[in-house]
């Protein structure tokens, strides 16, 4: 009578241990790369929303043929494009109608136009406006609100912006640097980590990096 052969299709403890060890090594190697990829993607999304608001103000200025501003609140990490609810199109008035108008009477009747925040955004949690600078005014806006204009001829207020992703360790911080060219209104951006990179970018060392 022959004995039944045993089924040896199962895994031994050594084989299972080796598989678990290989998976642990692969996870340890791949996790930092995955985290870096996620952080860069998240950073791009945060910068894209702010960049979209800038371009909206720029395009609106060209279409409406009037200066359009974008306002940034560095305390609340918000930004918006205020638009008059009932726009007074001064550029459509003729010179004759302007001469017939009594300035004193007009000033007495004039009220502050109501504004709506046609485009309103806020930086995602963990992000801040680290640096907001208006070049022509030689002013860094550290608190409160600052405003920047785009003009119908395509020009704009020269400005520098730094969006910072806050991290516990300085080495883990990431930044997006943006600048607006005054003559052409072109908006350029660069991703980086250190403030020195931003300083070089604002000086024009990375002008090949256009958004």
């Amino acid at each position: 009578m022959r004995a039944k052969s045993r089924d040896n299709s199962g895994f031994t403890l050594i084989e299972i241990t080796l598989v678990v060890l290989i998976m642990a090594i692969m996870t340890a190697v791949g996790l930092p790369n995955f985290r870096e990829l996620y952080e860069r993607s998240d950073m791009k999304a945060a910068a894209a929303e702010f960049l979209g608001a800038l371009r909206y103000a720029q395009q609106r200025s060209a279409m409406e043929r009037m200066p359009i501003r974008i306002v940034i609140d560095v305390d609340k990490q918000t930004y918006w494009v205020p638009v008059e609810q009932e726009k007074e199109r001064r550029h459509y008035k003729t010179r004759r109608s302007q001469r017939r108008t009594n300035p004193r009477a007009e000033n007495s009747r004039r009220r502050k136009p109501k504004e709506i925040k046609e485009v309103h955004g806020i930086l995602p949690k963990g992000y801040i406006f680290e640096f907001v600078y208006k070049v022509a005014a030689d002013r860094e806006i550290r608190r409160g609100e600052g405003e920047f204009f785009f003009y119908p001829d395509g020009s704009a207020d020269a400005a520098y912006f730094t969006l910072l992703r806050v991290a516990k360790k300085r080495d883990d911080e990431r930044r997006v640097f943006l600048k607006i060219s005054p003559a052409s209104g072109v908006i350029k951006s660069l991703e980086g980590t250190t403030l020195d990179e931003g300083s070089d970018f604002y000086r024009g060392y990375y002008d090949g990096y256009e958004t």
Side-chain angles (χ1 to χ4, degrees):
M1 186 175 181
R2 292 186 304 174
K4 294 182 179 180
S5 59
R6 293 183 178 179
D7 186 3
N8 295 325
S9 60
F11 295 103
T12 65
L13 180 61
I14 296 176
E15 290 173 332
I16 294 175
T17 303
L18 286 174
V19 171
V20 172
L21 181 61
I22 292 171
M23 291 179 64
I25 293 172
M26 291 178 65
T27 301
V29 172
L31 189 59
N33 293 332
F34 175 78
R35 188 179 72 173
E36 183 180 357
L37 181 64
Y38 170 78
E39 289 174 351
R40 291 191 65 181
S41 176
D42 190 52
M43 192 86 205
K44 284 181 179 292
E49 289 191 17
F50 176 60
L51 183 59
L54 291 173
R55 285 182 169 158
Y56 172 82
Q58 185 179 40
Q59 292 169 2
R60 180 112 196 190
S61 177
M63 290 188 298
E64 298 289 337
R65 291 189 292 165
M66 61 190 299
I68 296 293
R69 61 194 168 109
I70 181 167
V71 183
I72 297 173
D73 189 324
V74 297
D75 293 327
K76 298 179 181 178
Q77 312 306 327
T78 57
Y79 52 90
W80 62 91
V81 178
V83 178
E84 293 181 14
Q85 207 162 11
E86 295 179 358
K87 302 180 183 65
E88 181 183 0
R89 300 181 182 276
R90 298 182 178 86
H91 53 284
Y92 288 138
K93 289 185 177 181
T94 64
R95 292 185 180 182
R96 290 180 61 186
S97 64
Q98 287 177 348
R99 283 198 295 266
R100 288 197 302 267
T101 304
N102 186 338
R104 293 183 179 178
E106 186 178 354
N107 289 335
S108 64
R109 293 193 303 267
R110 185 179 298 166
R111 296 179 180 178
K112 186 177 181 180
K114 294 181 180 180
E115 292 180 338
I116 55 174
K117 297 177 180 179
E118 189 154 358
V119 170
H120 187 204
I122 184 170
L123 294 184
K125 186 177 180 180
Y127 291 85
I128 64 170
F129 284 109
E130 183 183 29
F131 184 61
V132 177
Y133 186 74
K134 194 168 185 176
V135 177
D138 192 18
R139 178 189 171 208
E140 180 182 355
I141 300 161
R142 299 183 180 182
R143 301 188 66 179
E145 298 177 3
E147 59 182 20
F148 304 84
F149 282 86
F150 288 91
Y151 301 99
D153 62 357
S155 62
D157 289 339
Y160 303 148
F161 309 101
T162 301
L163 276 61
L164 169 67
R165 183 182 64 80
V166 182
K168 292 181 179 179
K169 296 181 180 179
R170 183 169 294 181
D171 291 342
D172 294 333
E173 291 180 345
R174 295 196 65 85
R175 294 172 171 86
V176 172
F177 310 106
L178 300 103
K179 66 178 179 180
I180 303 175
S181 172
S184 62
V186 171
I187 306 168
K188 299 181 180 180
S189 68
L190 177 74
E191 290 185 43
T193 54
T194 66
L195 292 173
D196 290 339
E197 287 177 297
S199 181
D200 290 342
F201 172 67
Y202 296 141
R203 290 191 180 98
Y205 295 159
Y206 300 98
D207 278 353
Y209 292 84
E210 293 190 15
T211 57

